[in-house]
Amino acid sequence: MYRTRTIHGFHAMICDGKPKESCGLFGVYGINDAAPLIYQGLFSLQHRGQEGAGVVVSDGSKIRSHKGFGLVGDVFAEKSFDDLPGHIGIGHVRYSTTGSSRIQNVQPLVAECADGIWAIAHNGNLVNAGDLRRMYQESGAIFQTSSDSEVLIHLLADPMYRNRPRRVERALSEMKGAFSFLLMTKDSIMAARDPHGFRPLSIGRLKDGYIITSETCALPLIGAEFVRDITPGELVTIDKNGVHSSTFAEPGTPLAQCIFEHIYFAHPDSLLFGKNVHMVRSRYGKRLAEEYPVDADIVIAVPDSGNSAALGYSRHSEIPLDLGFIRNHYVGRTFIMPEDHQRKKSVDIKLAVLPEVVKGKRVIAIDDSIVRGNTASKRISYLREAGAREVHFRISCPPIKYPCFYGIDFPTKKELVASSKSIEDIRRMLGADSLGYISLEGLLSPFENKDDFCTACFTGRYPVEVADDQCKKMLEHY
Ligand code: SF4
């Protein structure tokens, strides 16, 4: 049943410290040398997680795996793909979380159940994982990780599900929250999206085989063709008999696709929830120009996720676009560094200002979001130090006031600058001459069905109730 819930005054870490990661998934079925293909696919999804990566492959009889901390290239630098033979495989890039930076949590997770080995990889965050975990622990189960994803292995291994038809669907239907899953046995892969469709997951075709990917941007780079998105609440199984589809969603479950994927997370060349990300972001820029026009000399982007919106703003306002910031591409995305001290340090070396471009100019700077405010205030001060006469900051999402329970890492209300400050207070804190956030209406304007999206971090209307006892206690407490 669909329920919304406004959670006010939430002020604490959620569940076991922070919500679990939003990550990248890549799977292959029916293509020889699956491992190097998964490696390439994970490279294309690197923007979805930089803390760790892993690959599990099967040659039809034996399952092998390799995983580690760091970027995909680092994890596989010393690894020969000859050690990972097989035509079936799944891979994962991990988005960082505090308190869970343990190698055991790097996915895919692999476990031996009574009926063989299963591997799983997860993107999203389960809001009832704590309850499920306690239930299994009380009956004697031992967990190897602190990841919410592991509960799926316990559900699959549970004789109550194991010996019954539609076992995987039944297990998936026990889970609440946001999940796109890849599962693998020695001779099949399965892909599933939660009934609300929070996180993306798509199917592609390459030769006689199949690809599953979190984002379609990974497909052309390996010569694969996009086939379709996995439908919310659908389980797709691929094995020697072909592709089978089944559903585990309750009829009438409303969609709640994460709009933040379009704002920030996804790659511009991905087709996400039916729309190209770059085109959506440039419409956000146009909309910002309509909602917050200002006299200025140049428009600049805060790269990279502000690029498309800056183009849209410039085109609509007819104020020239220029390169005010140059990004160092060898520094990870600030937002997804695991610890706050890493975030602060990385901000300092990530962007360089071009004084030749901004000096003496009235500058409109377009960014995708303001979360904590520390990065935005630094960027504005860099522009001023470089001689910008005025700095007008435009943000292609509404003020983020509420934590996300579904896998995006802005976990505490107190860390969100817009949760306690007015827009005018934020403008003053940042040192901008003006500040404009896109309206919620503008955010949803590129889409025909505006109710198909989760906007909880802006509105506090949570599409899936936080069911976990521990979360509830914390909500009551704060
Ligand atoms: S709360 Fe925000 S970030 Fe989280 S799923 Fe909803 S739209 Fe996405």
Side-chain angles (χ1 to χ4, degrees):
M1 193 173 128
Y2 181 60
R3 280 187 283 195
T4 60
R5 176 173 180 159
T6 303
I7 299 172
H8 294 292
F10 186 69
H11 189 250
M13 295 293 186
I14 299 163
C15 304
D16 60 347
K18 276 196 175 188
K20 297 300 176 276
E21 61 277 15
S22 189
C23 309
L25 310 176
F26 194 87
V28 168
Y29 182 90
I31 303 168
N32 286 332
D33 295 326
L37 208 56
I38 297 169
Y39 173 75
Q40 289 176 64
L42 294 181
F43 246 107
S44 309
L45 300 176
Q46 185 78 83
H47 58 283
R48 296 185 69 84
Q50 302 170 340
E51 188 193 351
V55 168
V56 176
V57 290
S58 169
D59 58 7
S61 57
K62 188 161 182 187
I63 286 179
R64 298 170 175 89
S65 69
H66 179 70
K67 60 185 188 176
F69 286 123
L71 301 174
V72 178
D74 299 332
V75 171
F76 288 90
E78 307 279 315
K79 185 74 183 170
S80 165
F81 290 119
D82 294 342
D83 300 337
L84 294 168
H87 59 286
I88 303 171
I90 61 174
H92 188 264
V93 284
R94 179 177 170 74
Y95 176 84
S96 40
T97 59
T98 299
S100 54
S101 296
R102 297 161 42 188
I103 191 67
Q104 293 95 323
N105 288 342
V106 177
Q107 299 190 13
L109 305 179
V110 181
E112 188 162 357
C113 302
D115 62 339
I117 292 176
W118 286 75
I120 64 164
H122 174 206
N123 173 200
N125 186 51
L126 305 173
V127 296
N128 65 339
D131 287 347
L132 290 169
R133 188 184 183 96
R134 269 187 297 284
M135 184 186 82
Y136 280 113
Q137 281 175 327
E138 275 162 21
S139 63
I142 293 167
F143 281 73
Q144 302 289 329
T145 76
S146 61
S147 164
D148 61 341
S149 318
E150 195 180 348
V151 294
L152 180 58
I153 288 178
H154 287 266
L155 284 162
L156 291 168
D158 188 331
M160 203 174 86
Y161 298 95
R162 200 177 69 230
N163 302 325
R164 292 169 72 177
R166 291 174 54 82
R167 158 205 198 177
V168 180
E169 290 93 327
R170 283 165 188 265
L172 290 167
S173 65
E174 291 294 334
M175 295 188 299
K176 306 278 178 268
F179 57 88
S180 284
F181 267 110
L182 276 180
L183 299 92
M184 192 187 106
T185 64
K186 68 179 169 45
D187 47 19
S188 68
I189 63 169
M190 283 152 260
R193 258 177 99 194
D194 73 72
H196 299 278
F198 279 99
R199 304 279 153 233
L201 199 59
S202 303
I203 307 177
R205 194 87 213 243
L206 177 63
K207 301 177 197 158
D208 295 330
Y210 292 90
I211 304 292
I212 308 284
T213 179
S214 284
E215 285 185 45
T216 62
C217 65
L219 296 174
L221 297 172
I222 56 162
E225 282 177 12
F226 173 71
V227 176
R228 68 174 176 92
D229 287 342
I230 292 183
T231 308
E234 181 185 16
L235 171 70
V236 171
T237 305
I238 310 175
D239 59 20
K240 65 178 182 343
N241 300 315
V243 180
H244 323 271
S245 169
S246 57
T247 182
F248 57 94
E250 279 180 36
T253 305
L255 292 185
Q257 300 166 124
C258 172
I259 195 68
F260 215 80
E261 292 272 356
H262 263 293
I263 296 164
Y264 174 81
F265 243 89
H267 215 253
D269 55 337
S270 284
L271 186 69
L272 191 91
F273 311 141
K275 297 263 184 216
N276 168 262
V277 173
H278 162 72
M279 298 305 284
V280 167
R281 288 180 187 164
S282 39
R283 282 188 63 177
Y284 288 164
K286 175 175 183 281
R287 182 79 183 209
L288 275 168
E290 290 164 356
E291 292 184 0
Y292 299 100
V294 63
D295 260 351
D297 302 308
I298 52 168
V299 176
I300 64 168
V302 176
D304 285 332
S305 40
N307 290 351
S308 305
L311 189 63
Y313 195 107
S314 166
R315 277 189 187 143
H316 188 74
S317 63
E318 299 184 350
I319 298 171
L321 182 68
D322 211 328
L323 279 183
F325 286 114
I326 304 294
R327 182 176 164 203
N328 180 339
H329 282 268
Y330 302 96
V331 183
R333 297 175 94 182
T334 310
F335 184 65
I336 57 176
M337 302 300 282
E339 305 279 358
D340 198 47
H341 71 268
Q342 285 175 297
R343 278 192 204 106
K344 283 177 183 149
K345 203 170 158 200
S346 64
V347 166
D348 295 335
I349 54 173
K350 185 178 166 186
L351 290 182
V353 179
L354 278 175
E356 293 80 359
V357 171
V358 302
K359 194 169 182 184
K361 302 266 177 57
R362 297 169 300 165
V363 177
I364 301 170
I366 314 283
D367 205 350
D368 57 86
S369 56
I370 299 176
V371 179
R372 298 163 182 85
N374 56 338
T375 51
S377 69
K378 275 181 197 280
R379 283 160 187 169
I380 290 169
S381 68
Y382 295 157
L383 290 170
R384 296 234 188 258
E385 284 161 21
R389 188 148 57 91
E390 293 175 14
V391 180
H392 302 277
F393 219 46
R394 299 290 179 267
I395 309 300
S396 56
C397 78
I400 301 169
K401 297 181 177 177
Y402 301 93
C404 174
F405 293 87
Y406 312 125
I408 301 289
D409 183 21
F410 28 86
T412 71
K413 194 165 179 192
K414 76 172 178 192
E415 283 184 275
L416 299 170
V417 68
S419 72
S420 58
K421 289 189 183 345
S422 67
I423 292 174
E424 175 53 20
D425 286 345
I426 298 170
R427 183 199 67 73
R428 247 184 272 126
M429 187 193 102
L430 300 182
D433 292 281
S434 71
L435 174 63
Y437 289 89
I438 198 170
S439 63
L440 187 64
E441 194 195 351
L443 185 74
L444 297 173
S445 63
F447 304 97
E448 289 77 36
N449 298 319
K450 303 184 193 325
D451 292 338
D452 288 353
F453 291 88
C454 174
T455 56
C457 45
F458 314 116
T459 61
R461 290 196 292 273
Y462 287 90
V464 176
E465 188 178 14
V466 179
D468 189 272
D469 274 354
Q470 198 178 343
C471 289
K472 274 184 180 163
K473 271 187 211 146
M474 296 181 92
L475 288 168
E476 281 159 21
H477 185 65
Y478 288 92

